[in-house]
């Protein structure tokens, strides 16, 4: 969609068409709503350096920041174009404005210019001078090709089915898991353990040579960590591990991902008690994985996770996850709003965050 301004009449007509044709995702330019979303404050800790990057026109400004250590690329008048965090492969690039919504389960709307993409290598100081980065940035700067956020919203309620050339349905409305014969509403109503290969209904061979077969009862279902593996691994191609202990890829569970040495810990895990709730969450950046302690029965294990997608138009810090209450991926409000700030079920259970 073009980023050029349109007249109010034309813009309104386009918005109505988008909303009517796609209940799971709308894309529009809304400067007034963007203004309502709080800005993340950045603190400079080193002088700005001038450099040309990846064949882009004009002079770009690189700035090194800390907590976490990262490189910020700025354009004209200091506008942030992209952020790259040391040891992380996910990068946040600025692009055309989009609106993410889920009318079936919440009135919340996220209007954002952030596009989260996976780089071929982890970022390190000075990587802006390397060929792999210049080639990658030239390809994706300003690109409207589906990013990780677009992948995620292709699994919420009423999302249409998409199939690849082999006939595998790789996207579409996902469930959380099969009904638990011993569960009830508010008490393990649905079973966990549904991974991305269950959703896809295909056997999958991991890097360690292990092949896992999907379970028929889990077809088209992913639990919270399975959903992240579907988005980040199967779709974005981050390496996947066959279990928490296999090594060499994204672990199977929320606890395994949170405690792994992958990426950068932007909010380090201090513990799982109520006293260990993070005091400052402003360091979060769209695309960060967020981890929760919801169930006392899991003892020291973290038992839920999602991906932070930014501020809603009313200022809440929203995350996307797969939840049994909504029976699948959601930013919904049922059994607790999908937000990190303030008080409530999920803010109180929030424990750590990782930039993968």
């Amino acid at each position: 969609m073009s980023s050029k301004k349109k007249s109010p009449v034309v813009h309104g007509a386009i918005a109505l068409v988008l909303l009517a044709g796609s209940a799971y995702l709308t894309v529009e330019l809304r400067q007034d709503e963007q203004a309502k979303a709080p800005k993340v404050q950045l603190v400079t800790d080193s002088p700005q350096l001038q450099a040309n990057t990846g064949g882009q026109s004009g002079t770009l400004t690189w700035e090194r920041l800390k907590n976490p250590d990262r490189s910020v690329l700025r354009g004209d008048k200091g506008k942030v174009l992209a952020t790259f965090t040391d040891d992380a492969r996910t990068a946040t690039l600025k692009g055309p404005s989009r609106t993410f919504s889920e009318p079936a389960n919440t009135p919340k709307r996220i209007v954002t210019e952030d596009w989260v993409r996976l780089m071929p290598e982890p970022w390190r100081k000075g990587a802006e001078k390397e060929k792999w980065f210049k080639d990658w940035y030239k390809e994706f700067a300003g690109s409207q090709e589906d990013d990780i956020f677009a992948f995620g919203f292709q699994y919420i309620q009423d999302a249409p089915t998409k199939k690849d050339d082999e006939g595998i349905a790789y996207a579409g409305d996902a469930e959380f898991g099969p009904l638990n014969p011993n569960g009830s509403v508010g008490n393990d109503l649905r079973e966990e353990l549904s991974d991305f290969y269950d959703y896809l209904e295909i056997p999958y061979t991991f890097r360690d040579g292990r092949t896992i077969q999907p379970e028929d009862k889990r077809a088209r279902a992913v639990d919270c960590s399975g959903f992240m593996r579907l988005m980040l691994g199967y779709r974005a191609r981050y390496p996947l591990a066959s279990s928490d202990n296999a090594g060499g890829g994204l672990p199977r569970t929320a606890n395994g991902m949170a405690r792994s040495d992958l990426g950068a810990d932007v909010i380090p895990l201090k513990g799982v008690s109520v006293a260990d709730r993070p005091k400052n969450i402003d360091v979060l950046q769209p695309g960060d994985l967020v981890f929760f302690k919801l169930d006392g029965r899991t003892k020291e294990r973290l038992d839920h996770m999602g991906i932070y997608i930014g501020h809603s138009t009313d200022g809440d810090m929203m995350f996307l996850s797969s939840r049994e209450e909504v029976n699948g991926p959601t930013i919904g409000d049922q059994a607790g709003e999908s937000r990190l700030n303030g008080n409530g079920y999920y803010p109180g259970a929030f424990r750590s965050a990782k930039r993968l």
Side-chain angles (χ1 to χ4, degrees):
M1 179 177 176
S2 173
S3 61
K4 294 181 179 179
K5 292 184 178 179
K6 298 177 173 62
S7 70
V9 173
V10 174
H11 177 77
I14 293 175
L16 288 173
V17 171
L18 288 171
L19 287 170
S22 176
Y24 73 99
L25 171 64
T26 59
V27 182
E28 58 184 353
L29 295 175
R30 289 293 300 272
Q31 298 299 331
D32 57 330
E33 290 190 346
Q34 286 177 323
K36 299 176 184 177
K39 303 293 185 182
V40 177
Q41 295 184 352
L42 301 177
V43 179
T44 304
D45 63 83
S46 64
Q48 296 183 352
L49 302 175
Q50 301 293 324
N52 288 321
T53 302
Q56 303 297 302
S57 61
T59 300
L60 306 177
T61 301
W62 285 97
E63 184 177 16
R64 283 291 290 178
L65 304 176
K66 60 184 179 180
N67 299 322
D69 293 339
R70 61 202 189 278
S71 301
V72 175
L73 178 61
R74 297 180 183 273
D76 293 340
K77 299 180 180 179
K79 181 181 179 181
V80 173
L81 301 179
T83 302
F84 310 94
T85 301
D86 292 7
D87 300 321
R89 285 184 59 186
T90 53
T92 302
L93 285 63
K94 296 297 181 181
S97 177
R98 299 176 289 176
T99 297
F100 292 102
S101 63
E102 188 188 349
N105 293 301
T106 181
K108 299 282 188 182
R109 293 157 57 83
I110 298 94
V111 180
T112 181
E113 293 180 344
D114 292 316
W115 295 63
V116 178
R117 301 193 180 279
L118 190 70
M119 295 184 290
E121 297 184 24
W123 184 259
R124 51 191 170 269
K125 183 179 180 179
E128 66 272 15
K129 301 175 184 178
E130 299 178 20
K131 184 178 185 302
W132 71 264
F133 171 73
K134 291 181 179 181
D135 291 344
W136 179 87
Y137 188 72
K138 183 177 181 180
E139 179 179 359
F140 289 108
S143 170
Q144 296 186 49
E145 179 181 325
D146 283 354
D147 70 334
I148 290 171
F149 287 171
F151 294 158
F153 278 83
Q154 290 169 6
Y155 300 94
I156 66 173
Q157 185 172 332
D158 299 327
T161 299
K162 296 186 177 184
K163 295 184 178 181
D164 63 18
D165 293 339
E166 297 179 356
I168 297 173
Y170 65 87
D173 191 335
E175 296 185 348
F176 178 83
L179 286 170
N180 181 357
N182 301 313
S184 60
V185 175
N187 185 26
D188 299 330
L189 176 64
R190 293 186 175 274
E191 294 182 5
E192 297 182 347
L193 304 181
S194 297
D195 205 353
F196 70 96
Y197 48 80
D198 293 307
Y199 174 88
L200 297 167
E201 302 180 78
I202 59 171
Y204 191 86
T205 300
F206 291 87
R207 292 159 50 131
D208 61 0
R210 181 185 180 192
T211 299
I212 302 181
Q213 299 291 331
E215 293 187 59
D216 291 342
K217 69 175 183 178
R218 302 182 185 280
R220 311 301 288 169
V222 278
D223 63 15
C224 64
S225 51
F227 179 40
M228 296 300 112
R229 282 157 62 89
L230 179 59
M231 278 194 304
L232 296 164
Y234 190 79
R235 297 294 303 277
R237 299 305 181 188
Y238 194 95
L240 291 165
S242 61
S243 70
D244 280 358
N245 302 317
L250 195 63
R252 170 62 187 95
T253 69
N255 187 70
M257 291 187 206
R259 297 181 187 276
S260 75
D261 59 2
L262 300 174
D265 291 322
V266 293
I267 298 181
L269 178 63
K270 295 182 179 179
V272 299
S273 71
V274 174
D276 296 311
R277 176 183 174 183
K279 305 240 179 344
N280 177 20
I281 63 175
D282 290 338
V283 296
L284 288 173
Q285 176 177 287
D288 289 348
L289 299 181
V290 290
F291 301 93
F292 304 86
K293 176 62 177 177
L294 300 176
D295 192 340
R297 296 173 298 178
T298 60
K299 298 182 180 179
E300 293 299 308
R301 293 180 60 83
L302 295 166
D303 45 47
H304 188 61
M305 68 177 300
I307 185 169
Y308 174 58
I309 54 177
H311 289 88
S312 66
T313 54
D314 55 4
D316 282 329
M317 300 175 71
M318 305 294 293
F319 69 93
L320 172 68
S321 68
S322 185
R323 297 166 53 182
E324 71 171 54
E325 296 87 355
V326 181
N327 191 23
T330 186
I331 55 170
D333 304 326
Q334 188 173 344
E337 292 181 299
S338 299
R339 60 181 175 86
L340 301 169
N341 58 300
N343 296 311
Y345 186 56
Y346 287 101
F350 183 36
R351 295 293 178 269
S352 68
K354 180 184 291 289
R355 194 163 298 161
L356 191 61

